[in-house]
Amino acid sequence: MRRPWIVGLLLAVVLLGACGDPASEPEAAPPPEAPQASVTTQQRAPASPSASTGTATDKSAPAKAPTVLYLGDSLAMEAQDVIGQELRRELGATYTSAPYSGTTLCDYLEGTGERSLVPVADKAAALVRRLRPDFVVLQFWGNAWGYTPCMDGITHDASPEKYVKRYEADLKRLTDQVAAAGETRIVLVLQGPDPITPDRVRRVNALYESRAGASDGLLADAGKALSAAGARYSWVQYLPCTAYEREHAEYCTQPDRDRTALHRDDDYLHFCLAPTTSKPKPCPVRSPGILRIAREITRVIGTHPVG
């Protein structure tokens, strides 16, 4: 597939108010409807054999089923149902999701008030105090074009160094607020390649890695599962099918070519294979990229028992 990048860029911004990083005309498109959260709490269910999902569970199950809180931007919005399904099925988790499309780290900080796209009740620390989760999963692509007011107009396109410094400061503030709110383990999700500004994602991931090391956090490298072997930061629309995807035809979208689609032709950023809508919502169709993200997050949590 060879299309001008600008087609995917404009569609992604106009339809979803997504959190990517277009390098040209970063604020040219009108904003979408106000981001909506889908705050969902789902109680744990009995774990089933790993063959049902393909998630690796060769180690013994945790002594205690974990409680997991999942926060993030539009990538989290579309993936939240599948992640909840995997966590419940594989780990018997109790799961709550509260993503908001178009957000970045500062939106979940307490003290941002009306300058935030996330209401006070759904700030990360507030949810931790209320839910007492064992794990808080943070999945943020890194809003880079100034859509959210709490970034104070700082964009990667205009000032990459200022953007990275601000993102680093917000990451520390957010993880500190979460840690102060309760005993929980933070899981930072590493992101996949960006075809427009690949270095931005590389630097954002480096911040996640550094912060996890400094705060006893965990890393879930979902981005690696969305990249070609040996080309971690080279964007691809298709990847070879995994063994699980070959066994489940709905996840190997082009079996005759032994490859599966991660993105639609009209959206280089998101992983939902259904058409985009003006109102953000969980992805309604089976999408290999989303399942790959969910499996990696589940694997990481599953290898750190609680209780």
Side-chain angles (χ1 to χ4, degrees):
M1 187 279 290
R2 299 183 63 86
R3 293 169 179 255
W5 288 122
I6 192 64
V7 174
L9 168 60
L10 291 176
L11 286 171
V13 175
V14 172
L15 292 175
L16 285 186
C19 45
D21 183 24
S24 62
E25 301 184 10
E27 297 182 80
E33 296 180 14
Q36 303 274 331
S38 180
V39 184
T40 305
T41 301
Q42 298 157 333
Q43 297 300 317
R44 62 179 179 266
S48 63
S50 60
S52 63
T53 62
T55 303
T57 55
D58 52 338
K59 295 185 178 181
S60 59
K64 172 189 173 186
T67 299
V68 181
L69 172 63
Y70 180 54
L71 307 176
D73 51 30
S74 59
L75 296 186
M77 174 64 75
E78 67 180 6
Q80 61 182 311
D81 284 358
V82 177
I83 289 174
Q85 171 186 296
E86 293 299 300
L87 286 167
R88 293 193 309 273
R89 181 179 296 165
E90 295 299 322
L91 306 178
T94 296
Y95 170 76
T96 300
S97 58
Y100 284 80
S101 292
T103 58
T104 192
L105 299 170
C106 60
D107 287 291
Y108 281 89
L109 285 169
E110 292 191 313
T112 49
E114 295 181 356
R115 297 171 54 255
S116 169
L117 300 178
V118 176
V120 172
D122 288 344
K123 299 296 188 182
L127 289 172
V128 169
R129 285 192 293 268
R130 186 164 78 242
L131 300 172
R132 298 295 178 184
D134 299 304
F135 298 93
V136 177
V137 181
L138 302 177
Q139 180 162 12
F140 291 91
W141 178 260
N143 185 304
W145 63 57
Y147 174 70
T148 176
C150 68
M151 282 296 289
D152 300 316
I154 298 172
T155 66
H156 182 270
D157 184 59
S159 181
E161 295 305 318
K162 190 174 183 180
Y163 165 85
V164 171
K165 288 181 180 178
R166 171 59 184 275
Y167 202 86
E168 181 178 22
D170 287 344
L171 177 60
K172 183 178 186 304
R173 287 183 62 196
L174 183 60
T175 53
D176 283 349
Q177 285 188 3
V178 168
E183 294 185 7
T184 187
R185 201 84 182 270
I186 298 172
V187 181
L188 296 170
V189 181
L190 300 183
Q191 301 305 306
D194 179 352
I196 304 300
T197 52
D199 186 60
R200 186 192 65 83
V201 173
R202 185 182 291 109
R203 295 184 72 178
V204 166
N205 282 348
L207 294 179
Y208 291 153
E209 291 171 345
S210 176
R211 189 58 192 158
S215 61
D216 194 31
L218 302 174
L219 291 170
D221 195 356
K224 184 177 181 181
L226 306 170
S227 309
R232 176 64 176 78
Y233 289 100
S234 296
W235 185 91
V236 291
Q237 183 178 5
Y238 300 92
L239 281 178
C241 295
T242 64
Y244 174 78
E245 290 162 355
R246 294 186 193 101
E247 293 171 0
H248 299 77
E250 63 271 28
Y251 289 110
C252 187
T253 61
Q254 296 184 1
D256 56 324
R257 304 178 68 177
D258 191 33
R259 71 178 193 175
T260 196
L262 300 181
H263 306 276
R264 289 173 54 85
D265 290 347
D266 57 2
D267 189 343
Y268 71 85
L269 172 58
H270 298 91
F271 297 95
C272 183
L273 298 184
T276 54
T277 61
S278 60
K279 183 176 181 179
K281 62 181 181 180
C283 184
V285 301
R286 291 184 177 91
S287 299
I290 290 177
L291 182 62
R292 290 182 182 210
I293 292 170
R295 292 177 66 197
E296 174 60 13
I297 291 172
T298 301
R299 184 195 67 79
V300 168
I301 292 176
T303 55
H304 292 80
V306 297

